[in-house]
Amino acid sequence: MATTTLAEVTAELAALEDPKAREVNARNGDDHGVHLGALRALAKRLKTQQDLARQLWSTGDASARLLAVLICRPRAFERDELDVMVREARTPKVHDWLVNYVVKKSPHSEELRLAWFADPDPVVASAGWALTTERVTKKPEGLDLPGLLDVIEAEMKDAPDRLQWAMNHCLAQIGIEHVEHRERAIGIGERLEVLKDYPTSPGCTSPFAPTWIGEMVRRAG
């Protein structure tokens, strides 16, 4: 499908639209109605097509943007291009896929992490925190972990939902990955009680940081 046109792909996406899926996704703040499995199958057929990915993104349609993320070449985007895309990605799924599948693989990820970390837009700031959590886990050298815990302790309780979630993830990963900060991370979680009562399906780990940290440490033996 190397010569697939934008019109052909958008027509196929329209045919894959499922009103029930859209209704379920809407409960989570998303506005797409194509099952993710169908999107991934389509992406597998299309393979990597950077130009088509840019065209799909430019439509503004959530399903098209999710597909764009799957068929793009992450390292081909310029720094300013990714900045604009994150600010345009307003729904949770598009935002999450863009950050996790594209920005994290970009050579501009560290520059964008620093630029977004304290952005006045809480959704953009949440992307900065997601990139910071990636570094906490995989490349913590040079990070001020006590300073991150200071910010989390002071700001997470009253942060908007998506920023709060990203900060909580960072808190948990600091506690999981860095034993010297584990006690403090657990203590912050216990005092703030963020996501303490979040409904968790059977077999899943609670996002409440003290529980999350304890379970991951237990699994690691």
Side-chain angles (χ1 to χ4, degrees), residues 3-6 9 51 58 61 88 94 109 111 132 144 150-151 178 180 188 192 196 202 215:
T3 59
T4 308
T5 67
L6 176 63
V9 176
D51 289 343
S58 70
D61 176 75
E88 291 175 340
V94 173
S109 61
E111 183 182 354
T132 299
D144 178 8
D150 288 343
V151 176
H178 302 278
E180 68 275 22
I188 290 171
L192 298 185
K196 183 177 182 179
E215 177 61 18

Side-chain angles (χ1 to χ4, degrees), residues 29-86:
D30 291 310
D31 60 350
H32 64 93
V34 179
H35 290 283
L36 299 184
L39 277 176
R40 292 184 186 279
L42 178 54
K44 187 175 181 179
R45 282 195 286 122
L46 290 170
K47 299 184 171 59
T48 301
Q49 297 193 49
Q50 181 67 11
D51 289 343
L52 179 59
R54 283 195 168 101
Q55 293 171 29
L56 286 165
W57 185 272
S58 70
T59 67
D61 176 75
S63 294
R65 285 183 164 180
L66 291 170
L67 181 60
V69 167
L70 294 175
I71 68 169
C72 75
R73 187 176 294 109
R75 300 182 68 85
F77 291 107
E78 297 296 332
R79 181 250 187 235
D80 290 347
E81 191 174 11
L82 289 173
D83 183 71
V84 170
M85 291 169 73
V86 162

Side-chain angles (χ1 to χ4, degrees), residues 110-131:
E110 179 61 12
E111 183 182 354
L112 289 168
R113 181 186 77 83
L114 295 171
W116 291 339
F117 186 77
D119 195 279
D121 183 330
V123 176
V124 176
S126 75
W129 277 91
L131 295 174

Side-chain angles (χ1 to χ4, degrees), residues 188-199:
I188 290 171
E190 289 175 341
R191 285 192 298 278
L192 298 185
E193 298 186 334
V194 168
L195 301 176
K196 183 177 182 179
D197 299 320
Y198 190 85

